[in-house]
Amino acid sequence: MTRDRSEWEAEAPTWSTERAGRLSRTVDTVTPAFEPPDDDPAAAVHQWDTWQVRDRHGEVISIDGWQVLISLTASADLLPGKRHDVATLRYFYSRNGRDWELGGTVFDGAALGQRQWAGSAVYDDGELFVFYTAAGDEESEELDYSQRIAVGHGGSVSTSGESVEIGGPWTHEILLEPDGEYYETQAQSRGMIYTFRDPWPFQDPETGEQYLLFEANTPVPERSDRCDGDPQRQEFNGCIGIAHSPTGDLLEWEFEPPLFEAVCVNQELERPHVVYKDGQYYLFCSSHLHTFAPGVHGFDGLYGFVADSLHGDYSPLNDAGLVVANPANRPYQSYSWMAFGHGEELLVQSFLNYHDFGGHSLDDIGELPAEEQKRRFGGTLGPTLRLSYEGDKTRIRGVLDHWHLPGPDEELPELAADWPPDDLVLKTEDEPQSGDRSGQTEYYR
Ligand code: FRU
């Protein structure tokens, strides 16, 4: 049962224009320059959004001593920009969290959607649940951008001394479709890139209640008074959605009002997830430089907010919300960051995106010759970042190798004493600043 709009709109924690307007890179949030790894375990595919198999509480697990990852992938023969249209889930496994083998595709071809987008996986009582975005209508001949939240369940994970095999038979179900009240439908959307995707389950450790987070948009009716009635800024209506499972069943979800909103600030709060530490809920999402509303200048980066309950009043980390940003001269270096707790530290994995490109708009990549586009795209996992986090502050304190995802019991090496490096690039001369609307208009439909 949905509530009256005025009630929940007033209550939803928001990323205010004022706070977001103070976004800037700092030595605590900017990463060094990264190159692709010497050894890519899956050079034949482009690889991007990646998630570790977890238990229903949200903890990263190992299965008979193996860690398992699932990634969006596409043939490396394709132009990187085309990968979203053919995304396929593939899995990787590792004994030591450093050396990974490509296992194969997760599903046997019968998954929902024209292709599958991100993405999370829960191993519960011997059954693998792979939550995904059914992107595009499988009944339609034409490529389309509809998005539904789906699951493949009934999957098995067989292990031997040498390898891991994920197998079916899978049962695929649509779990959630936007309702048009709390979550915008594609027909309602009138701005830029539409979103209803990236499911991520989380069990609240304080209440034991089971939730599913996802990326969505809040419906903002035309002529509403949001964003001081400015219709252009109203088109930026990203939110982090949440659904509840009253029985704990991973297949039964009921919408709740958005957990967090960025109306007037940003269009895409991607791959939302929570890390719980000492009574604090750290809510993270990735976002793009080009999805900030006119007048707010952000970065391709990981953003975060903290509250003292899951449904709490989230406050931006580090004042404005920036947790990890790419170097200013490599603004598209990495993307799709996923944080997980490890002892006292916060570890963050991501993929290498257009690591070798200094322009201010991704549109310019498409102008380059095909081989150049491929060369500049990483399409593999980048180094894992090590952060400290306490209260509403985070700080990058070091990096682990590419693809190094320590298991829960792995002891991390000492932090380097000479961090931060002195060549971090916080700013470029010609970078647009908050208040400057240039470089954003081309993303409108
Ligand atoms: C982030 C993302 C996800 C989506 C996927 C599609 O990199 O936009 O939100 O599921 O890429 O390829």
Side-chain angles (χ1 to χ4, degrees), residues 48-49 72 83-84 87 116-119 133 197-198 215 268 270-271 286 288 335-336 351:
W48 64 110
D49 298 11
L72 298 188
R83 70 189 193 279
H84 304 285
Q116 290 73 48
W117 287 356
T133 310
R197 58 178 186 250
D198 301 355
E215 170 183 6
E268 293 195 324
E270 308 222 86
R271 302 193 69 206
S286 292
H288 293 288
Y335 195 64
S336 213
F351 77 94

Side-chain angles (χ1 to χ4, degrees), residues 11-276:
E11 283 168 18
T14 53
W15 197 359
S16 70
T17 314
E18 188 206 348
R19 287 287 197 107
R22 300 206 287 260
L23 286 167
S24 66
R25 295 187 191 85
T26 63
V27 289
D28 293 338
T29 54
V30 76
T31 76
F34 297 140
E35 298 298 332
D38 297 334
D39 250 338
D40 178 347
V45 292
H46 295 311
Q47 177 190 14
W48 64 110
D49 298 11
T50 294
W51 53 94
Q52 293 155 289
V53 174
R54 298 175 183 237
D55 62 19
R56 70 155 54 220
H57 307 283
E59 298 298 323
V60 173
I61 52 165
S62 60
I63 302 169
D64 303 332
W66 293 99
Q67 280 196 67
V68 183
L69 286 182
I70 297 178
S71 297
L72 298 188
T73 62
S75 163
D77 295 339
L78 289 173
L79 281 181
K82 291 276 172 238
R83 70 189 193 279
H84 304 285
D85 297 345
V86 292
T88 303
L89 271 49
R90 286 187 163 80
Y91 67 96
F92 297 81
Y93 54 87
S94 170
R95 267 266 182 237
N96 58 9
R98 289 168 184 268
D99 305 306
W100 294 86
E101 288 288 331
L102 173 58
T105 54
V106 174
F107 297 135
D108 40 25
L112 298 169
Q114 295 169 332
R115 66 266 188 217
Q116 290 73 48
W117 287 356
S120 52
V122 172
Y123 192 60
D124 189 51
D125 215 7
E127 179 179 1
L128 187 63
F129 293 75
V130 178
F131 298 88
Y132 61 94
T133 310
D137 178 359
E138 61 277 1
E139 308 280 304
S140 155
E141 302 269 298
E142 306 261 295
L143 188 77
D144 74 79
Y145 290 87
S146 62
Q147 294 156 48
R148 293 162 294 159
I149 289 174
V151 69
H153 62 99
S156 62
V157 182
S158 327
T159 61
S160 69
E162 286 77 47
S163 65
V164 172
E165 201 170 319
I166 291 186
W170 297 95
T171 305
H172 292 276
E173 290 179 39
I174 296 293
L175 298 176
L176 293 168
E177 297 190 58
D179 60 349
E181 280 292 313
Y182 294 150
Y183 301 109
E184 188 177 70
T185 61
Q186 198 178 14
Q188 284 172 315
S189 78
R190 61 180 190 282
M192 30 186 330
I193 322 154
Y194 169 72
T195 78
F196 185 78
R197 58 178 186 250
D198 301 355
W200 193 85
F202 176 70
Q203 192 179 70
D204 185 342
E206 293 190 0
T207 63
E209 295 294 312
Q210 191 73 48
Y211 293 95
L212 190 73
L213 270 56
F214 50 91
E215 170 183 6
N217 296 106
T218 296
V220 177
E222 285 195 60
R223 287 181 292 281
S224 105
D225 59 2
R226 302 200 77 172
C227 323
D228 303 320
D230 177 343
Q232 204 188 21
R233 289 198 299 134
Q234 284 176 359
E235 292 186 0
F236 295 78
N237 59 344
C239 74
I240 294 177
I242 185 166
H244 177 224
S245 170
T247 59
D249 185 337
L250 294 172
L251 304 177
E252 295 290 333
W253 301 100
E254 293 175 4
F255 280 133
E256 291 190 345
L259 189 66
F260 185 76
E261 287 193 342
V263 176
C264 323
V265 168
N266 194 306
Q267 173 70 3
E268 293 195 324
L269 306 184
E270 308 222 86
R271 302 193 69 206
H273 56 286
V274 173
V275 178
Y276 175 82

Side-chain angles (χ1 to χ4, degrees), residues 105 250 269 311 372 414 436:
T105 54
L250 294 172
L269 306 184
H311 291 84
E372 268 302 284
E414 286 281 305
D436 171 3

Side-chain angles (χ1 to χ4, degrees), residues 207-408:
T207 63
E209 295 294 312
Q210 191 73 48
Y211 293 95
L212 190 73
L213 270 56
F214 50 91
E215 170 183 6
N217 296 106
T218 296
V220 177
E222 285 195 60
R223 287 181 292 281
S224 105
D225 59 2
R226 302 200 77 172
C227 323
D228 303 320
D230 177 343
Q232 204 188 21
R233 289 198 299 134
Q234 284 176 359
E235 292 186 0
F236 295 78
N237 59 344
C239 74
I240 294 177
I242 185 166
H244 177 224
S245 170
T247 59
D249 185 337
L250 294 172
L251 304 177
E252 295 290 333
W253 301 100
E254 293 175 4
F255 280 133
E256 291 190 345
L259 189 66
F260 185 76
E261 287 193 342
V263 176
C264 323
V265 168
N266 194 306
Q267 173 70 3
E268 293 195 324
L269 306 184
E270 308 222 86
R271 302 193 69 206
H273 56 286
V274 173
V275 178
Y276 175 82
K277 183 189 168 210
D278 303 336
Q280 305 256 272
Y281 294 74
Y282 289 86
L283 175 63
F284 296 104
C285 59
S286 292
S287 199
H288 293 288
L289 175 167
H290 67 261
T291 57
F292 280 91
V296 183
H297 183 69
F299 315 101
D300 274 40
L302 177 72
Y303 294 87
F305 310 88
V306 63
D308 53 16
S309 69
L310 180 62
H311 291 84
D313 193 8
Y314 285 94
S315 169
L317 293 168
N318 307 319
D319 185 44
L322 184 63
V323 176
V324 174
N326 289 323
N329 57 346
R330 292 173 172 236
Y332 304 104
Q333 173 173 272
S334 303
Y335 195 64
S336 213
W337 293 266
M338 183 57 59
F340 55 103
H342 189 283
E344 284 304 296
E345 291 187 45
L346 185 73
L347 302 183
V348 179
Q349 58 94 353
S350 63
F351 77 94
L352 287 181
N353 197 11
Y354 291 99
H355 57 93
D356 184 5
F357 181 70
H360 292 310
S361 166
L362 267 189
D363 287 351
D364 300 342
I365 298 257
E367 307 294 318
L368 298 172
E371 283 316 309
E372 268 302 284
Q373 294 184 41
K374 291 184 186 170
R375 185 185 69 71
R376 289 162 190 260
F377 181 73
T380 185
L381 296 192
T384 299
L385 304 170
R386 301 175 69 172
L387 278 72
S388 60
Y389 63 137
E390 189 74 56
D392 62 3
K393 291 275 173 296
T394 66
R395 180 146 80 98
I396 301 179
R397 307 203 54 192
V399 290
L400 299 170
D401 285 344
H402 298 71
W403 284 86
H404 182 187
L405 300 174

